[in-house]
């Protein structure tokens, strides 16, 4: 309740006419950014808590999952708009849980900042949906004008893209696995050379 | 090749490979002569003592002349092309401070994405008193000055160039006097030349922006601005935001749909897309190391 109240208060402040129009003074704009950041971060934590409770008490999963869910991290990545996410960058295997706030099924392309391989050390990715089925995915390079954005600290040079389907006001989870060598048996595995000069594509 | 086509039979964009620019769009069987370009307005500078001498600033939009292309017509855009089973992308560089990723997904969606990265805009050494960057889409549709905007994300309002419904208006500043707030939708409908089949074009921004249709078949939205004078409306500062020692960089997306004007579901689909943009899916990350494929 405290974090929700903090976000409510921050959004109330943001209804001020100078906040909406961007006619506030510079130091006020920076204070607005700080207010919103603190409030959204707090709500992200609360949202994770709520999801953990839902997963820990879900009845259509194994009891082992219920127990694991109690300690599930459920972190957010606020830097996704500059292709930055410490989790997808460092973990060889991670779960993306998507929450759909709309009251209808939503299909949305998910873009995850990931490591690209090199010709010598190839990397491939597989994405599994909640039924364990492989989901088609594609790697695209992150252009230099995004990689070099000031303030971006990520070392990722590619984005992994797949189409997710999430139920109304619901969640869907996808398991992403990274293989350090080319996986010839991988279902829908994709790989990308970091050295784009050697990349080839078909018509 | 002279042209590069990205996408599928259902949804594609054609780029001219010499200039690197979009020249055509095909949306579910509707062909559209479509050009996309970044331009800038120059800021006005004055002593703010009288109306006619007001500077451009945080409150005031009164461009000094018509928009200028970011790149002259003879300059080509540098671009890279990425293709795959799910998505085709073109990564463009429009000079020093405008970049763009154009995306056409091959499954699941019926719009193209124009993901713009603008900034840092030139600083005070710039010869012009600030710049205001716009993204402009130009078609060959005859629209007679008519276009439509949303009203704070709710109803769609009809607009007409240099016109007000309830009085005989005389527009002194052509651009500013025809700009409207675009919260979630800017669209137009018209007939292409030599055709009797109407076409609608809609642009959905990912944030509220100012925009208009200043010429037949044209839509524009303002994406970024940097100005160096106070406009004497109370803030007492120039709109000169910086980060990491440079002018601010802004990144956002325009979602573009088009189709036959006979399609009565178009406005509904645009509204659904606007909702998807406003309330996107939220991502949470957890470790997967405890899951084998079987356990998963």
């Amino acid at each position: 309740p405290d974090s929700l109240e903090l976000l409510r208060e921050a959004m109330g402040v943001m209804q001020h006419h100078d906040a909406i129009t961007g006619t506030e003074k510079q130091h006020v704009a920076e204070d607005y950014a700080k207010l919103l950041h603190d409030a959204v971060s707090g709500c992200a934590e609360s949202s994770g808590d709520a999801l953990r409770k839902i997963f820990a008490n879900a009845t259509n999963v194994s009891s082992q999952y219920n127990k694991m869910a109690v300690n599930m991290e459920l972190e957010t990545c606020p830097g996704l708009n500059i292709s930055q996410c410490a989790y997808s960058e460092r973990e060889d295997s991670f779960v993306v849980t998507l929450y759909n706030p709309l009251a209808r099924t939503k299909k949305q392309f998910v873009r995850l900042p990931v490591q690209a391989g090199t010709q010598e050390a190839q990397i491939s990715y597989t994405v599994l949906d909640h039924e364990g089925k492989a989901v088609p995915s594609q790697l695209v390079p992150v252009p230099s004008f995004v990689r070099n954005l000031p303030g971006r600290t990520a070392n990722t040079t590619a984005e992994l893209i797949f189409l997710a389907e999430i139920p109304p006001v619901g969640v869907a989870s996808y398991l992403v696995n990274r293989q350090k060598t080319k996986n010839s048996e991988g279902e829908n595995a994709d790989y990308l050379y970091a050295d784009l000069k050697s990349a080839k594509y078909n018509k | 090749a002279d042209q590069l086509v990205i996408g599928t039979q259902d949804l594609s964009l054609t780029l001219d490979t010499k200039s690197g620019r979009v020249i055509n769009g095909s949306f579910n069987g509707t062909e559209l002569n479509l050009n996309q370009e970044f331009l800038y307005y120059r800021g006005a500078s004055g002593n703010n003592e009288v109306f006619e001498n007001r500077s451009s600033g945080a409150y005031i939009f009164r461009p000094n002349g018509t928009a200028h292309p970011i790149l002259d017509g003879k300059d080509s855009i540098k671009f890279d092309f990425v293709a795959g089973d799910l998505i085709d992308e073109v990564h463009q560089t429009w000079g020093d401070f405008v970049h763009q990723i154009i995306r056409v997904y091959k499954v699941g969606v019926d719009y193209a994405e124009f993901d713009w990265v603008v900034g840092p805009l030139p600083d005070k050494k710039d010869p012009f008193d600030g710049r205001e960057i716009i993204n402009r889409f130009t078609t060959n549709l005859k629209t007679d000055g008519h276009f439509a905007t949303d009203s704070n994300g709710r109803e769609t309002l009809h607009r007409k160039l240099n016109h007000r419904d309830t009085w005989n208006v005389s527009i002194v500043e052509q651009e500013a006097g025809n700009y409207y707030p675009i919260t979630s939708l800017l669209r137009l409908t018209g007939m292409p030349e030599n055709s009797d089949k109407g076409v609608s074009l809609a642009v959905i921004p990912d944030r509220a922006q100012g925009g208009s249709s200043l010429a037949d078949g044209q839509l524009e939205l303002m994406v970024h601005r940097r100005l160096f004078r106070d406009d004497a409306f109370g803030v007492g500062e120039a709109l000169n935001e910086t980060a990491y020692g440079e002018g601010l960089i802004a990144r956002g997306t325009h979602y573009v749909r088009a189709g036959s004007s006979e399609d009565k579901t178009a406005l509904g689909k645009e509204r659904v897309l606007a909702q998807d943009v406003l309330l996107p899916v939220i991502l949470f990350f957890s470790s997967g190391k405890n899951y084998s494929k079987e356990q998963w």
Side-chain angles (χ1 to χ4, degrees):
Chain A
D2 290 343
S3 65
L4 286 176
E5 195 60 27
L6 195 64
L7 185 55
R8 285 193 191 104
E9 287 179 6
M11 287 308 298
V13 168
M14 294 309 292
Q15 303 311 305
H16 186 277
H17 56 264
D18 287 320
I20 295 167
T21 56
T23 46
E24 74 276 53
K25 286 183 186 289
Q26 184 61 46
H27 69 279
V28 177
E30 286 162 13
D31 192 51
Y32 286 157
K34 183 179 185 306
L35 274 177
L36 279 174
H37 172 80
D38 290 345
V40 170
S41 300
C43 267
E45 278 189 39
S46 298
S47 304
D49 289 340
L51 286 175
R52 268 188 288 277
K53 276 190 187 167
I54 291 170
F55 294 159
N57 294 297
T59 53
N60 61 336
V61 294
S62 69
S63 57
Q64 186 188 12
Y65 181 84
N66 291 135
K67 283 179 195 159
M68 278 166 50
V70 173
N71 296 313
M72 207 182 265
E73 294 105 323
L74 291 167
E75 289 180 17
T76 56
C77 282
L80 284 172
N81 71 323
I82 54 170
S83 195
Q84 177 164 295
C85 179
Y87 225 97
S88 58
E89 176 174 348
R90 73 166 183 261
E91 298 287 329
D92 286 335
S93 179
F94 58 92
V95 175
V96 185
T97 299
L98 302 119
Y99 168 68
N100 171 19
L102 293 172
R104 54 177 161 81
T105 299
K106 187 157 179 181
K107 285 186 180 178
Q108 176 167 318
F109 276 97
V110 177
R111 307 177 69 89
L112 303 175
V114 294
Q115 306 280 0
T118 62
Q119 213 161 355
E120 293 76 31
Q122 294 175 14
I123 293 178
S124 64
Y125 293 88
T126 52
V127 181
L128 302 181
D129 68 11
H130 65 283
E131 291 176 339
K133 282 190 234 160
V135 172
S137 63
Q138 181 179 336
L139 282 172
V140 294
V142 176
S144 58
F145 54 81
V146 174
R147 291 204 310 272
N148 298 329
L149 283 170
R152 183 176 186 265
T153 56
N155 290 318
T156 51
T157 55
E159 285 181 338
L160 180 69
I161 300 172
F162 63 93
L163 183 62
E165 185 169 335
I166 312 102
V169 196
V171 291
S173 293
Y174 292 82
L175 178 66
V176 179
N177 280 319
R178 175 165 67 206
Q179 289 90 38
K180 289 284 175 64
T181 56
K182 184 176 171 185
N183 182 4
S184 58
E185 298 171 1
E187 298 172 29
N188 295 310
D190 196 358
Y191 62 91
L192 179 73
Y193 292 125
D195 176 9
L196 292 179
K197 288 178 189 165
S198 63
K200 292 177 186 168
Y201 58 89
N202 293 322
K203 183 178 176 183
Chain B
D2 291 335
Q3 293 182 350
L4 171 67
V5 181
I6 61 173
T8 64
Q9 246 179 330
D10 293 329
L11 176 60
S12 67
L13 295 174
T14 303
L15 287 83
D16 174 82
T17 51
K18 287 202 182 74
S19 66
R21 295 160 197 258
V22 172
I23 57 172
N24 198 67
S26 177
F27 297 84
N28 291 310
T30 299
E31 294 282 328
L32 180 63
N33 189 303
L34 179 70
N35 290 278
Q36 184 260 337
E37 190 180 17
F38 290 98
L39 303 97
Y40 68 95
Y41 291 109
R42 297 172 184 173
S45 62
N47 59 15
N48 294 323
E49 284 183 6
V50 290
F51 171 76
E52 293 81 9
N53 253 348
R54 186 75 68 180
S55 293
S56 295
Y59 293 82
I60 295 299
F61 170 49
R62 57 183 304 250
N64 184 359
T66 55
H68 302 263
I70 291 288
L71 288 180
D72 288 333
K74 62 183 185 319
D75 293 330
S76 56
I77 299 160
K78 293 180 191 153
F79 69 96
D80 292 313
F81 166 51
V82 180
D85 292 335
L86 292 185
I87 183 173
D88 288 346
E89 290 191 351
V90 172
H91 302 168
Q92 295 177 320
T93 293
W94 293 64
D96 292 334
F97 49 84
V98 177
H99 303 92
Q100 180 169 247
I101 303 171
I102 301 175
R103 300 194 181 97
V104 180
Y105 293 100
K106 293 178 165 175
V107 292
V109 299
D110 61 355
Y111 54 81
E113 288 183 10
F114 290 78
D115 179 349
W116 43 268
V117 181
V118 177
L121 299 183
D123 61 18
K124 280 185 184 171
K125 298 191 205 80
D126 188 39
F128 314 118
D129 277 313
R131 301 195 198 210
E132 299 167 296
I133 313 299
I134 60 168
N135 184 7
R136 179 180 282 173
F137 297 90
T138 304
T139 71
N140 63 345
L141 300 180
K142 191 171 182 327
T143 52
D144 291 328
H146 296 270
F147 60 106
T149 72
D150 72 321
S151 175
N152 207 19
R154 296 193 183 272
E155 64 196 286
T156 304
L157 295 180
H158 167 254
R159 309 289 191 185
K160 188 167 185 244
L161 198 63
N162 299 323
H163 172 82
R164 299 291 186 269
D165 284 345
T166 49
W167 81 99
N168 291 326
V169 70
S170 171
I171 301 283
V172 174
E173 297 180 15
Q174 294 299 310
E175 291 81 18
N178 286 297
Y179 252 58
Y180 292 92
I182 312 297
T183 304
S184 67
L185 176 67
L186 177 62
R187 78 193 311 265
L188 50 74
T189 301
M191 298 274 192
E193 290 167 1
N194 305 319
S195 169
D196 58 357
K197 291 189 180 161
V199 175
S200 290
L201 172 72
V203 182
I204 290 101
D206 65 348
R207 71 211 53 199
Q209 294 174 327
S212 185
S213 171
L214 297 179
D216 257 22
Q218 219 175 63
L219 293 175
E220 67 183 58
L221 288 152
M222 186 165 292
V223 298
H224 197 8
R225 54 203 303 255
R226 187 180 188 186
L227 302 155
F228 302 111
R229 292 171 184 267
D230 175 52
D231 50 11
F233 267 89
V235 67
E237 293 176 0
L239 188 70
N240 183 12
E241 194 162 10
T242 59
Y244 300 100
E246 292 182 314
L248 198 68
I249 298 174
R251 182 180 191 185
T253 304
H254 289 145
Y255 300 84
V256 177
R257 290 190 78 253
S260 163
S261 60
E262 298 298 307
D263 180 4
K264 303 300 179 199
T265 66
L267 266 178
K269 288 175 185 166
E270 287 151 20
R271 188 177 292 278
V272 163
L273 175 54
Q275 284 178 353
D276 286 350
V277 170
L278 175 68
L279 293 169
V281 161
I282 302 172
L283 275 65
F284 297 87
F285 293 85
S286 318
S287 171
K289 64 182 182 223
N290 291 326
Y291 302 111
S292 65
K293 187 180 170 185
E294 290 70 29
Q295 285 174 317
W296 176 256

